Amino acid sequence: MQRSPRPRRPAALAGTVVATGVVAAGAAVVGAPDLFGLAGSRPFVWSVPFRLATAAGLGGLAALVGLAGLRWRRVLPPALALAVVAAGSLATTGVRGLSAGELPPARAGDVTVLAANVLHGQADPAALTRLVVDGGADVVSLPESDLALAEDLAARVEAATGTPVQVFHLRDRGRSRFGTALLVSARLGEYRATGELTDGVKAVVTAAPVSGTGPVLAAAHTAAPVPDLLEPWAVEVRAVADWCAATPGAIVAGDLNATLDHPGLRLRGSCVDAGAQTGTGARGTWPARVPAPLGATIDHALADGNAWRAVGSRVEDVPGSDHRALLSRWRPVT
């Protein structure tokens, strides 16, 4: 009786190693394209904001492959590779924080900032007023607002608190009414518009204190990373982050249409992100119709970390808007 030839173990092992390497590399690119410099390129520019969903997908695929491994053991190493990449993506999300957040009691010198995209003025002004008043906001950034909504909100807040509110507004390029508004409470003193970044960003309002030591402020709305605008989007997001790093005492808030994984928001120098510092850095602010942990964190508050540290943040629903709002509290660095 003739014996059957022995299986070629070295060849089988080599095949398993190669397959595992290919699966691990592919999963790593899908799960963390930012590590390979691909987060600003198609299609990853649109997938990287949804880390939790991607991690869940990779984890589910790992489970399916692992079940197949009960019959074909050679697929177990690739399943393990998928699971490791999924766990790494989940860990990054966990470190940034999925919490809705909270604000500690304000102290003298603190500055509280609200960033709320109002969806072309459709956000409920009464709800916005409650957010400003209950949150103790000194600064309000309103992307996609017209001047009428900004002035109405300022009047409502003044009526509720007795404190005057300055209003600055700049229309989007190419739009007749809507743009970005910046509201500043008189608690911070008098401010003047400075006109910075207006040549490089879709709609941004910058203001500086006329006197005193208040923060230099910006309310910003960058281009969205849609196919026809990927180049200006990248330039605008980088411009906002660079301004934050280069401007002593700066605080900037708004809809930046980017997450911390996108190349434009790879923060440099002293610029820091409130959500990342306080545990809401992975809680989705858009689209509001999906559960917050599954959304994209594209609304931010950034500041010069040499002058300010974030001591709390909170992600809030805004009736009438497709974005959630971000409240952040900043404390002077001493």
Side-chain angles (χ1 to χ4, degrees), residues 115-117 283-293 295 299 315-318 321-326:
N117 183 309
R283 192 167 183 86
T285 59
W286 178 89
R289 66 179 180 273
V290 306
D299 296 86
V315 177
E316 298 273 8
D317 291 332
V318 181
S321 177
D322 60 342
H323 284 245
R324 294 182 179 90
L326 176 67

Side-chain angles (χ1 to χ4, degrees), residues 7-21 73-74 77-78:
R8 297 181 179 178
R9 294 182 182 276
L13 178 60
T16 300
V17 170
V18 170
T20 302
R73 294 185 179 180
R74 291 179 186 176

Side-chain angles (χ1 to χ4, degrees), residues 221-248:
H221 187 199
T222 67
V226 296
D228 292 340
L229 296 177
L230 284 180
E231 186 175 343
W233 163 77
V235 171
E236 291 186 21
V237 175
R238 182 76 268 162
V240 171
D242 286 348
W243 180 87
C244 169
T247 307

Side-chain angles (χ1 to χ4, degrees), residues 7-226:
R8 297 181 179 178
R9 294 182 182 276
L13 178 60
T16 300
V17 170
V18 170
T20 302
V22 170
V23 170
V29 169
V30 171
D34 49 303
L35 298 181
F36 302 89
L38 298 173
S41 305
R42 311 177 192 208
F44 305 109
V45 65
W46 302 306
S47 65
V48 74
F50 304 99
R51 263 190 182 275
L52 189 61
T54 301
L58 291 172
L61 184 59
L64 290 175
V65 175
L67 288 174
L70 296 176
R71 181 172 180 182
W72 299 290
R73 294 185 179 180
R74 291 179 186 176
V75 301
L76 285 175
L80 180 61
L82 285 167
V84 168
V85 173
S89 188
L90 283 173
T92 299
T93 300
V95 167
R96 289 179 184 165
L98 288 165
S99 167
E102 59 182 355
L103 294 180
R107 296 181 185 175
D110 286 359
V111 174
T112 304
V113 180
L114 174 68
N117 183 309
V118 294
L119 187 59
H120 301 146
Q122 296 182 53
D124 180 359
L128 286 171
T129 303
R130 287 193 297 272
L131 281 178
V132 174
V133 174
D134 295 347
D138 306 292
V139 178
V140 181
S141 169
L142 297 177
E144 297 193 17
S145 174
D146 59 7
L147 181 59
L149 174 63
E151 291 182 334
D152 177 55
L153 179 59
R156 288 169 181 260
V157 171
E158 182 173 349
T161 63
T163 304
V165 178
Q166 279 187 272
V167 177
F168 303 91
H169 182 267
L170 185 68
R171 291 181 297 185
D172 290 357
R173 293 193 299 268
R175 295 194 68 90
S176 58
R177 289 174 47 205
F178 298 103
T180 298
L182 172 66
L183 279 58
V184 186
S185 170
R187 290 191 296 265
L188 296 184
E190 184 182 357
Y191 271 69
R192 59 179 179 83
T194 59
E196 298 175 67
L197 287 172
T198 52
D199 290 334
V201 180
K202 174 185 176 183
V204 60
V205 182
T206 55
V210 173
S211 61
T213 58
V216 180
L217 299 171
H221 187 199
T222 67
V226 296

